[in-house]
Amino acid sequence: MLRTTWRVLLAASLLYPTGHLPAYADNTNLPDLGDESIAVISPAQERKLGEDLMRQARRTLAFMNDPEISEYIQSLGQRLVSHSDNPKQDFRFFVIDNPSINAFAVPGGFIGVHTGLILATQSEAELASVLAHETAHITQRHIPRLIAESQRTTLPALAAVLAGILLASSGHQGGEAAIALTSAAVAQKGINYTRTFEEEADRIGMQILAQSGFDPRAMPAFFEQMQNLNRLNDTNLPEFLRTHPVTTNRIADSRNRAEKFKVRRASESSDFQHVRAKIRALAPGNQEEIVRGFRENLAQGKYFNAEAERYGYAVALLRVRQLATARAEVQKLVKKQPNRISYRILQAETEMSAENYKQAQAIYVDAYAKAPANATLIQNYASALLKTGKHRQARDLLKNALQRRPEDPELYRMLAQAAGGSGAHYEAHKAMAEHYYLSGNPNAAIEQLQLATRFAGDNFYLQSSLEARMAAIKEEIAVYQKK
């Protein structure tokens, strides 16, 4: 697990030491199950802490909100979790739009991966090996165990580390210096303890990897790739190397462990290559150069997967509004795989950009009839409906989507727009409140709930529901203001 991110989570957790936890985390009568961490923070408290940290993170980190990329990483992560020793635990995998090579786990089952790491992996198995490693940190409760071990650490030092990490995460200068200066109080003991957990996460992660159908040799292969980057560029190391120390011994240990498993030659998921191509197509920078890069790769045969490269090319063309060329490239893809949802979405979005709304609508209707449960399709279809003023249809689709992804603030924002356009003002303000709450802006959430009371009328149930929600959010605000 990345060491600096681990420290920020540790610091946040220790802001609520035993006996001083907020109201939601009363731990006075927890049973002794032989794990000291249980007496410090229970699984339910850990989940609550993770949810709180995720809301704060949305204020400083650039979450990747593209539904296709988000759905892919969640699907891959759930495949791994289903083969862990806690398959029923609720995990949320998410992508941070950041070119650095990094991944991290947040208490309670939240695992983030940077776009830079996805692009750095050479196979889906390598990406899965990183996610399996982070999954093991969660299932083995490493963060609570670290908290339990660190109870004697001074609160001011940990709080300073937290402030430094948040600075660094938001891209402001001074964050790394703050971490270096304030982590001295916890560094030596914390690093040694972390190394033990890293070894355990490697071992458990490799078991998860193998049981999920991936070749365990992907883990040492990725470690070797990171070590080669270290040798080539020791003045500007990838974040992964600074936070996941990759030593010769660690590579050797993981390779020896991997050799005990049967060799697996699982076929490469085309979804992996399509997502990598899309990330490249959506990257910041000179968009014309991005288009040219895809075009040259296709002409010279420089790609892992021809269809994925063409898909990225079409996405890049759409960004620069070369609609005729984009349409031609999408047609080639649809002709080869007419039922691939990502191609049909791109086809529809191309027509939307050309303001051919009826044609785009027909594509979405056809695709939705064939794949009504596809979350990526539902969100894109709903977005198209909103753009064409079909708020009621969008509203129904978004309610369906939120049943699967109730923690997604973007879906709530879209629902607020759909409900407002449908004349359902109470529902619109309530949905917007959840958008703000999940985005780390509780005061704005309360304002929206107060607006919702104007449209609840004399309905006792609705008014009571709003009052209870406002009270809960105000209580959370009060807790943080005391710290």
Side-chain angles (χ1 to χ4, degrees):
M1 179 181 197
L2 74 159
R3 195 164 293 138
T4 53
T5 300
W6 217 0
R7 286 183 187 140
V8 64
L9 300 177
L10 171 61
S13 303
L14 287 178
L15 289 175
Y16 313 116
T18 305
H20 299 280
L21 292 169
Y24 64 75
D26 181 14
N27 65 341
T28 54
N29 294 307
L30 293 174
D32 182 2
L33 301 179
D35 178 358
E36 185 181 355
S37 68
I38 292 291
V40 176
I41 179 171
S42 73
Q45 294 161 8
E46 184 186 359
R47 178 70 181 191
K48 178 61 177 175
L49 173 62
E51 291 171 349
D52 292 344
L53 290 170
M54 286 294 291
R55 289 194 296 274
Q56 295 174 41
R58 287 189 180 277
R59 302 186 68 173
T60 54
L61 303 181
F63 280 65
M64 193 74 169
N65 290 321
D66 181 87
E68 179 184 6
I69 296 172
S70 298
E71 193 67 19
Y72 167 74
I73 205 71
Q74 176 67 13
S75 176
L76 177 60
Q78 284 303 132
R79 175 178 171 182
L80 297 165
V81 170
S82 68
H83 292 90
S84 71
D85 58 3
N86 193 3
K88 294 184 178 181
Q89 183 172 353
D90 186 15
F91 273 77
R92 287 289 181 268
F93 295 82
F94 56 95
V95 178
I96 299 298
D97 190 6
N98 190 312
S100 64
I101 302 173
N102 217 346
F104 55 93
V106 177
F110 300 92
I111 293 177
V113 56
H114 287 199
T115 51
L117 187 141
I118 296 175
L119 293 180
T121 54
Q122 299 300 305
S123 68
E124 187 173 42
E126 288 188 4
L127 175 58
S129 73
V130 175
L131 297 184
H133 175 96
E134 301 299 340
T135 298
H137 278 309
I138 298 295
T139 61
Q140 304 310 302
R141 303 198 80 231
H142 284 166
I143 298 171
R145 287 162 60 187
L146 184 57
I147 294 170
E149 179 68 15
S150 305
Q151 285 295 288
R152 289 182 294 275
T153 303
T154 65
L155 180 60
L158 290 170
V161 172
L162 172 60
I165 290 291
L166 290 178
L167 257 180
S169 298
S170 62
H172 296 294
Q173 294 183 348
E176 291 298 331
I179 296 164
L181 292 172
T182 59
S183 60
V186 295
Q188 188 58 53
K189 187 172 184 178
I191 288 174
N192 292 338
Y193 204 52
T194 299
R195 284 173 181 162
T196 300
F197 286 161
E198 286 290 278
E199 293 172 1
E200 186 175 33
D202 285 349
R203 176 175 57 82
I204 300 296
M206 190 170 290
Q207 293 173 1
I208 294 173
L209 198 64
Q211 291 166 4
S212 300
F214 292 104
D215 190 347
R217 290 155 187 79
M219 185 176 286
F222 186 66
F223 287 163
E224 287 178 343
Q225 185 182 343
M226 291 297 97
Q227 189 180 60
N228 289 335
L229 283 176
N230 187 7
R231 293 167 179 163
L232 292 173
N233 191 9
D234 59 1
T235 60
N236 187 22
L237 299 181
E239 183 69 17
F240 189 91
L241 293 179
R242 294 195 295 267
T243 56
H244 297 69
V246 178
T247 64
T248 301
N249 287 339
R250 186 177 181 185
I251 293 173
D253 288 344
S254 63
R255 185 164 295 285
N256 290 336
R257 196 174 293 119
E259 291 301 325
K260 297 177 182 179
F261 294 89
K262 292 182 179 179
V263 176
R264 295 180 181 272
R265 301 297 181 190
S267 59
E268 183 73 29
S269 165
S270 64
D271 290 342
F272 170 70
Q273 296 297 348
H274 279 74
V275 164
R276 291 178 79 245
K278 192 168 192 180
I279 289 173
R280 287 161 47 214
L282 297 177
N286 188 310
Q287 296 180 18
E288 294 290 350
E289 289 185 4
I290 292 174
V291 168
R292 185 162 51 252
F294 276 104
R295 184 168 57 242
E296 292 176 354
N297 286 347
L298 286 167
Q300 299 171 18
K302 295 181 179 179
Y303 45 72
F304 289 103
N305 181 294
E307 283 70 35
E309 194 71 12
R310 191 173 302 281
Y311 176 66
Y313 181 37
V315 172
L317 286 166
L318 185 58
R319 284 188 75 193
V320 297
R321 295 192 60 78
Q322 294 185 27
L323 301 182
T325 309
R327 184 182 291 112
E329 294 300 321
V330 174
Q331 283 298 115
K332 294 175 185 177
L333 293 169
V334 172
K335 186 176 181 179
K336 292 198 72 171
Q337 297 186 56
N339 293 322
R340 188 179 182 94
I341 295 301
S342 60
Y343 295 170
R344 300 308 306 278
I345 291 173
L346 185 56
Q347 185 182 37
E349 288 305 302
T350 302
E351 299 308 326
M352 286 292 297
S353 294
E355 299 184 359
N356 296 327
Y357 299 135
K358 288 186 177 180
Q359 190 171 346
Q361 173 84 357
I363 294 170
Y364 272 127
V365 168
D366 179 66
Y368 183 67
K370 296 174 181 176
N374 187 286
T376 303
L377 174 61
I378 290 173
Q379 185 167 342
N380 281 277
Y381 185 14
S383 179
L385 290 169
L386 288 174
K387 290 175 184 176
T388 54
K390 297 183 178 180
H391 297 97
R392 291 186 182 276
Q393 282 183 261
R395 181 183 172 196
D396 292 339
L397 285 175
L398 291 165
K399 285 183 176 180
N400 182 15
L402 278 166
Q403 290 180 0
R404 294 186 58 183
R405 289 154 57 193
E407 77 297 333
D408 191 331
E410 176 61 15
L411 289 179
Y412 278 108
R413 186 199 64 77
M414 293 174 66
L415 178 60
Q417 182 182 349
S422 303
H425 301 296
Y426 165 81
E427 183 180 340
H429 288 298
K430 192 173 181 182
M432 201 64 190
E434 293 307 315
H435 163 75
Y436 282 127
Y437 176 74
L438 291 169
S439 299
N441 194 342
N443 289 313
I446 291 174
E447 290 177 4
Q448 288 296 318
L449 291 170
Q450 289 171 339
L451 290 172
T453 62
R454 301 178 185 179
F455 298 95
D458 296 329
N459 189 311
F460 176 79
Y461 172 77
L462 295 182
Q463 292 287 2
S464 298
S465 175
L466 292 171
E467 290 175 6
R469 188 72 181 110
M470 283 189 282
I473 296 175
K474 288 177 180 178
E475 183 178 353
E476 289 186 11
I477 294 174
V479 167
Y480 287 118
Q481 288 177 341
K482 291 178 181 178
K483 300 302 175 181

